[in-house]
């Protein structure tokens, strides 16, 4: 945000106006002196003078030029990226780029632990009946770090599934299971352990036996090109198919620039993005893939919308037409380093998704939006989703 600043310079007095520049100053060889006779250079801290002399050393001439070049390149590349994202947000979505009735809603644990009642399901049904939402990802975890899941985590599963079927015929209820991975720290789930992956597969079968119509996995932070994750998905797919159920996952964003995850990984422990190739490998192993296209740190709505348009296009290029591709919407408001609520709006995300769909595969049927999350959504979020995507 631009902040207006005002200020005025003091008008010269008659005395100062009449005094020529430098008059009355002691300008001996040591430079201008203050009232105590000290030169201005003597008031500079010693460590700063040392740094200054080192910075002027002839040996640093080329390192300084290289550093300056890197700074200029960073500024220019950032500016170019911003212009590209803003350009992505320009134009109008193509006709027909509206809901395909394949949207999804992430829902909190209160729906399974006894806090929600029949009356709440009726209110939910009233809200969803005129939308394009077909799948509910209801939090049934988290998984233990060893991959197991206590049955006490979802005591009202069968009640919820039956209540939703009664009030919203055709809407599926999936168990949302997740955990923190030990990819960037010592604590968390380790997918490189075969026993842990086997336990996750058993947990999936467990929730399907309890009545859920799908298993939705959100394992983070998941680094690109993780072969253990792909192996886990292969095993999970066999279980969900045996139960005639859905296998869906929450996916990381795709490299906005080629190999950006590799470059960022060199300097940080959190690469953030997946390669487009890895995204495609994951998409081929699941029934639904929902991109968590929020928490981008972008400061402007136009930049965020352009970013969603780009993410949509990148995902469409590698997702099989038989797999449901869902673009995540931020149905919540926060303002921090990762998420600027004034920029990451539902309206910008919807428009960005429609633009990406328009430019890449506007007739794609297996496409939708996923709304995160029910308990944080405001009325204005629902309105923006319905006006921008449903109507």
């Amino acid at each position: 945000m631009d902040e207006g600043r005002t200020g005025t310079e003091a008008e010269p007095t008659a005395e100062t106006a009449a005094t020529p520049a430098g008059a009355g100053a002691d300008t001996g060889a040591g430079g201008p002196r203050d009232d105590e006779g000290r030169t201005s250079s003597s008031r500079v801290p010693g460590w700063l003078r040392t740094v200054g002399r080192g910075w002027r050393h002839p040996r640093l001439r080329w390192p300084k030029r290289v550093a300056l070049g890197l700074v200029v390149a960073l500024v220019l590349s950032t500016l170019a990226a911003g212009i590209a994202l803003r350009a992505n947000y320009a134009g109008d979505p193509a006709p027909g780029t509206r809901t395909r009735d394949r949207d999804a809603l992430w829902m909190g644990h209160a729906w399974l632990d006894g806090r929600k009642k029949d009356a709440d399901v009726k209110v939910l049904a009233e809200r969803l009946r005129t939308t394009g939402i077909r799948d509910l990802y209801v939090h049934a975890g988290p998984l233990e770090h060893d991959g197991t899941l206590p049955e006490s985590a979802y005591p009202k599963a069968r009640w919820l599934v039956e209540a939703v079927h009664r009030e919203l015929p055709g809407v599926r209820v999936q168990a949302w299971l997740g955990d923190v991975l030990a990819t960037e720290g010592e604590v968390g789930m380790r997918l490189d352990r075969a026993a842990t992956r086997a336990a996750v597969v058993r947990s999936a079968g467990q929730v399907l036996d309890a009545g859920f119509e799908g298993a939705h996995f959100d394992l983070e932070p998941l680094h690109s090109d993780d072969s253990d994750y792909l192996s886990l998905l292969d095993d999970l797919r066999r279980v969900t198919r045996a139960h005639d159920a859905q296998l869906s996952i929450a996916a990381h964003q795709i490299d906005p620039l080629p190999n950006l995850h590799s470059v960022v990984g060199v300097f940080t422990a959190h690469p953030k993005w997946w390669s487009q190739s890895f995204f495609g490998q994951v998409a081929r192993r699941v029934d639904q893939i929902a991109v968590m296209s929020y928490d981008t740190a972008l400061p402007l709505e136009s930049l965020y919308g352009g970013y969603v348009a780009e993410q949509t296009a990148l995902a469409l290029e590698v997702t099989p037409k038989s797999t449901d591709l869902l673009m995540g919407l931020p149905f919540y408001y926060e303002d921090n380093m990762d998420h600027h609520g004034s920029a990451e709006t539902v309206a910008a995300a919807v428009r960005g998704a429609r633009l990406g769909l328009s430019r890449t595969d506007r007739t794609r049927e297996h496409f939708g939006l996923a709304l995160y999350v029910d308990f944080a959504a405001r009325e204005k979020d629902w309105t923006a989703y319905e006006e921008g995507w449903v109507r």
Side-chain angles (χ1 to χ4, degrees), residues 95-179:
T97 52
R98 298 284 182 174
T99 185
R100 277 84 164 121
D101 295 323
R102 295 178 181 273
D103 303 333
L105 173 65
W106 278 287
M107 298 172 62
H109 202 82
W111 293 96
L112 293 176
D113 63 9
R115 282 177 284 172
K116 297 292 187 179
K117 308 298 180 184
D118 286 337
D120 297 300
V121 179
K122 290 182 181 295
V123 172
L124 177 68
E126 285 298 313
R127 165 62 76 186
L128 302 186
R129 195 166 284 125
T130 58
T131 69
I133 292 175
R134 180 184 182 184
D135 286 280
L136 305 179
Y137 302 144
V138 187
H139 191 263
L143 295 165
E144 301 294 332
H145 292 337
D146 63 1
T148 59
L149 178 68
E151 293 185 5
S152 59
Y154 50 92
K156 303 287 287 184
R158 199 164 296 278
W159 163 80
L160 178 62
V161 173
E162 292 175 354
V164 169
H165 286 177
R166 182 174 61 250
E167 300 292 340
L168 291 166
V171 172
R172 296 179 297 210
V173 183
Q174 300 192 40
W176 168 14
L177 304 173
D179 193 21

Side-chain angles (χ1 to χ4, degrees), residues 12-19:
T13 64
E15 179 181 356
T16 57
T19 303

Side-chain angles (χ1 to χ4, degrees), residues 233-279:
L233 293 179
D234 290 335
D235 294 338
L236 288 169
R237 189 71 177 272
R238 285 189 284 270
V239 172
T240 54
R241 282 180 171 173
H243 285 77
D244 192 25
Q246 297 288 296
L247 173 59
S248 60
I249 65 108
H252 288 37
Q253 297 159 27
I254 303 173
D255 280 338
L257 298 173
N259 294 313
L260 185 59
H261 72 280
S262 299
V263 175
V264 174
V266 171
F267 299 99
T268 73
H270 182 55
K272 183 179 176 66
W273 298 280
W274 287 353
S275 70
Q276 189 183 35
S277 174
F278 182 68
F279 187 97

